[in-house]
Amino acid sequence: MEFLGKTTTARSGSRITEHVSPLESTVYVTEAGSSLRAKGARMRIVRRDKQLLSVPFNRVRQVVCTTPSTLTSPFLRRALEHGVDIVLTEEDGEFLGRLTGPYGPDVHLRHAQHRLADKRAAKLDLATAFVGGKIANMRTCLLRAARAGDGSTRRSPQQTASWQPASQPTSPHPRQR
């Protein structure tokens, strides 16, 4: 794949850039009392002596723990060595914190983006692509909203373009009461 003037594959570049492989995924730990362990180059999730998951570290980009879990020291060390981020959240998804290595997985991407931002023609091309994408996404959302209504509220695409959502009641976030 051509990206920022270079041919990029799942195995291109240094260990940090390999981390952005499309083969990698996020592992969600949702079983309370799970234990995250390392065995060789594999990440294991165990609960009550039953193995729930065993996957190579190089296939994982991030681990999100949404329930109280045990993360062993060997697991944490191996995760950091492989560039795997550990994210802790409450059960309702509220962010608690993140453990990541000294360099984020996208450090080379960020440097390339900053270099590109200095080029006027590139900025214009990117802005045009961003705005075009946003317009296309909004059109899709509006057409879906038009189709979602019952027979009495069906709208044509022209009517949908002027559609405004009903005002939502403003209730404070449960933690802000």
Side-chain angles (χ1 to χ4, degrees):
M1 165 194 284
E2 190 70 22
F3 181 70
L4 296 175
K6 295 182 180 178
T7 301
T8 305
T9 67
R11 297 290 177 207
S12 296
S14 68
R15 190 169 87 175
I16 297 287
T17 56
E18 284 180 23
H19 181 68
V20 189
S21 165
L23 300 174
E24 296 171 350
S25 61
T26 299
V27 174
Y28 290 90
V29 181
T30 58
E31 294 279 334
S34 295
S35 177
L36 284 77
R37 302 176 182 174
K39 184 171 186 175
R42 296 184 74 82
M43 176 183 115
R44 294 177 45 225
I45 301 178
V46 179
R47 182 170 180 251
R48 295 189 185 135
D49 296 327
K50 179 182 176 193
Q51 184 168 290
L52 302 176
L53 177 73
S54 177
V55 63
F57 275 102
N58 64 0
R59 295 290 304 269
V60 179
R61 180 176 185 146
Q62 161 174 275
V63 175
V64 178
C65 296
T66 61
T67 59
S69 303
T70 301
L71 288 77
T72 66
S73 295
F75 167 79
L76 292 171
R77 181 179 189 87
R78 195 73 41 79
L80 290 173
E81 288 171 351
H82 285 272
V84 176
D85 288 350
I86 312 295
V87 178
L88 303 176
T89 69
E90 294 284 0
E91 289 186 40
D92 64 1
E94 182 180 348
F95 179 77
L96 293 174
R98 171 185 304 268
L99 177 65
T100 187
Y103 304 105
D106 299 324
V107 68
H108 299 292
L109 174 62
R110 298 289 173 258
H111 285 277
Q113 288 171 335
H114 285 287
R115 285 190 305 270
L116 201 57
D118 292 334
K119 298 178 181 172
R120 181 172 170 73
K123 284 193 281 193
L124 182 58
D125 289 344
L126 287 172
T128 302
F130 294 158
V131 171
K134 288 187 172 288
I135 291 170
N137 288 341
M138 182 51 66
R139 180 179 184 275
T140 300
C141 288
L142 292 171
L143 290 172
R144 283 183 186 155
R147 286 192 305 263
D150 60 21
S152 64
T153 60
R154 279 222 187 271
R155 299 172 182 88
S156 70
Q158 292 77 21
Q159 292 170 318
T160 302
S162 63
W163 175 78
Q164 294 289 321
S167 62
Q168 298 293 321
T170 55
S171 61
H173 187 274
R175 295 197 185 265
Q176 296 174 344
R177 289 183 191 157

